[in-house]
Amino acid sequence: MGYTSTPYDDVGHTLLYDCSQLILPVINEMFGEHYDGTEKIVFQPNELYVQQQNGRQRKRITDSSFCVIKGAVTKKYHYEIQSTEDNTMLLRMFEYDAQIALSEGKIVDNVLEVSFPHSALLYLRHSENVPDTMLVRIKTPGTMAEYDIPVLKVQKYGIDEIFDKKLYYLIPFYIFTHEGRFKVYEKDESQLQMLLAEYRHICDKLNEMMENGEMDAYTKQSILDMGKKVVRNLARDSDSVRKGVERIMGGKILDYPAKKILNKGKAEGRVEGRAEGRAEGRAEGWDSASLVMIKNLMAAMNLDIDAAMVALKIPDDKRSQYRVALMNK
């Protein structure tokens, strides 16, 4: 990804879809939930059509709309990423929330029932004027309803707090914490080295987590790839900052970053799996194409069997069969 009109939305959206479990600690932080990572995340359509007063519809693209399923409980969530303060954001949040609610509205016995999502804002930059919570108040004939929209301010989180709270989803945006000092870093080598030391610490922590089995290699590489894309856009006019951080996080974007490696493995797996035939796999409880995908990802990213299966989202009940099949190959 080069320079785009919505680089930070794109990074947040990509990381959400590719490494969806990373969002759960962020939801815990914003809404006081206690998700532990075993929950199921189901994504909702991110294109909404808002009815205008002239009768026409206007398409809106949300950053994220999804459900978290924990046992018998399902909760809807919606959040937007903001890089600048915007007086119209609260209005747009209500538009999004109302359309999300209407999309699953039910009419029973002449009663329309709609359920609004739990909504939040992630501010990458903020001033003192941005509150910790915003409020939507809906006045109807004879009554009134209101709901809070919590605001997560990325610049308030130090890197140690991010790791302590497992807010790894925020790591690509961490460079915003230093944005106000870019000019200092460009002029003062000692200050620049302090910034780069902090990014070495980030990479060391991610590597340590991968080695300890707390994070798979695909997720780690995705965080680094997304981090480089944020830095490339935010520090485009600060060469020393941009080049220094990119070098520490992996230098140039790899020919096959995490997602490309994954997609390449899938494509080759489908082709090779068809060539090998699926009869043997069906008999043993595994699929030849998936087996090849696992082997390709293990080789390309130096993963063990379990890490490759996690990255490919192989169902838990199938992993032992694939493990046996790979050991026998």
Side-chain angles (χ1 to χ4, degrees):
M1 181 179 77
Y3 300 119
T4 72
S5 60
T6 57
Y8 313 124
D9 293 345
D10 296 343
V11 164
H13 196 259
T14 298
L15 202 57
L16 173 66
Y17 274 79
D18 289 353
C19 306
S20 58
Q21 295 301 310
L22 292 181
I23 200 60
L24 292 175
V26 180
I27 296 297
N28 291 343
E29 181 74 2
M30 292 190 294
F31 297 103
E33 300 285 4
H34 297 90
Y35 296 131
D36 60 14
T38 61
E39 296 77 13
K40 182 179 181 181
I41 297 176
V42 178
F43 293 104
Q44 308 296 309
N46 69 336
E47 291 187 357
L48 302 175
Y49 291 87
V50 179
Q51 194 74 25
Q52 296 178 282
Q53 291 181 347
N54 60 11
R56 296 181 179 178
Q57 287 186 329
R58 181 174 73 255
K59 184 167 74 171
R60 293 280 199 179
I61 306 296
T62 70
D63 286 340
S64 65
S65 177
F66 56 91
C67 293
V68 177
I69 303 172
K70 184 173 185 176
V73 178
T74 298
K75 290 187 179 181
K76 291 190 291 187
Y77 293 95
H78 161 231
Y79 71 87
E80 298 292 322
I81 295 174
Q82 277 291 106
S83 59
T84 57
E85 294 178 37
D86 183 348
N87 290 332
T88 69
M89 191 65 232
L90 201 53
L91 175 61
R92 285 187 283 130
M93 288 295 288
F94 176 72
E95 287 182 337
Y96 296 148
D97 292 344
Q99 291 301 314
I100 291 169
L102 282 171
S103 68
E104 296 181 359
K106 297 181 294 184
I107 298 178
V108 180
D109 295 330
N110 296 315
V111 175
L112 171 63
E113 182 178 314
V114 294
S115 176
F116 274 61
H118 299 268
S119 294
L121 282 164
L122 271 68
Y123 266 87
L124 305 181
R125 301 182 182 97
H126 71 278
S127 70
E128 294 181 356
N129 296 324
V130 176
D132 293 331
T133 304
M134 296 185 179
L135 180 71
V136 173
R137 179 176 294 135
I138 307 164
K139 293 183 178 181
T140 65
T143 187
M144 182 176 68
E146 59 185 36
Y147 66 95
D148 291 336
I149 297 180
V151 177
L152 188 149
K153 302 169 184 176
V154 173
Q155 289 177 317
K156 290 181 65 175
Y157 288 83
I159 197 60
D160 289 334
E161 186 176 12
I162 285 175
F163 276 100
D164 289 344
K165 294 184 174 180
K166 301 182 179 181
L167 300 174
Y168 313 129
Y169 181 85
L170 303 184
I171 290 176
F173 304 113
Y174 181 67
I175 191 65
F176 276 89
T177 304
H178 292 276
E179 183 184 16
R181 294 180 56 80
F182 280 178
K183 290 183 179 179
V184 174
Y185 297 144
E186 290 298 310
K187 295 177 180 179
D188 189 329
E189 179 65 22
S190 64
Q191 292 293 312
L192 174 65
Q193 289 305 316
M194 291 177 65
L195 167 68
L196 300 184
E198 196 163 14
Y199 269 89
R200 290 189 190 96
H201 173 63
I202 291 171
C203 292
D204 288 344
K205 289 282 289 183
L206 290 174
N207 286 329
E208 180 182 334
M209 291 177 63
M210 187 185 72
E211 291 169 1
N212 293 339
E214 299 174 59
M215 178 180 290
D216 61 78
Y218 175 73
T219 299
K220 186 206 81 169
Q221 189 61 45
S222 295
I223 291 171
L224 294 177
D225 287 344
M226 293 301 103
K228 285 182 285 185
K229 290 171 182 178
V230 172
V231 169
R232 181 167 293 178
N233 279 272
L234 189 63
R236 65 174 70 182
D237 297 322
S238 302
D239 287 351
S240 297
V241 172
R242 186 183 69 255
K243 292 177 181 178
V245 174
E246 279 192 5
R247 183 172 62 251
I248 290 169
M249 298 181 83
K252 296 179 180 179
I253 297 293
L254 303 173
D255 290 336
Y256 294 101
K259 193 170 183 180
K260 286 188 178 180
I261 290 173
L262 187 61
N263 290 337
K264 180 174 181 285
K266 288 180 177 179
E268 291 179 354
R270 284 191 290 269
V271 172
E272 294 180 34
R274 284 195 295 269
E276 291 180 10
R278 300 175 182 266
E280 179 188 356
R282 281 196 297 269
E284 298 295 330
W286 47 264
D287 172 78
S288 297
S290 296
L291 199 64
V292 175
M293 292 179 203
I294 296 169
K295 289 166 61 179
N296 286 346
L297 198 59
M298 289 171 64
M301 294 186 68
N302 193 29
L303 302 180
D304 61 25
I305 295 174
D306 290 314
M309 288 193 289
V310 169
L312 288 165
K313 298 182 179 179
I314 301 295
D316 291 347
D317 60 350
K318 298 288 185 183
R319 292 180 188 176
S320 61
Q321 296 164 331
Y322 283 105
R323 197 178 293 109
V324 171
L326 283 163
M327 289 178 176
N328 291 335
K329 281 285 182 178

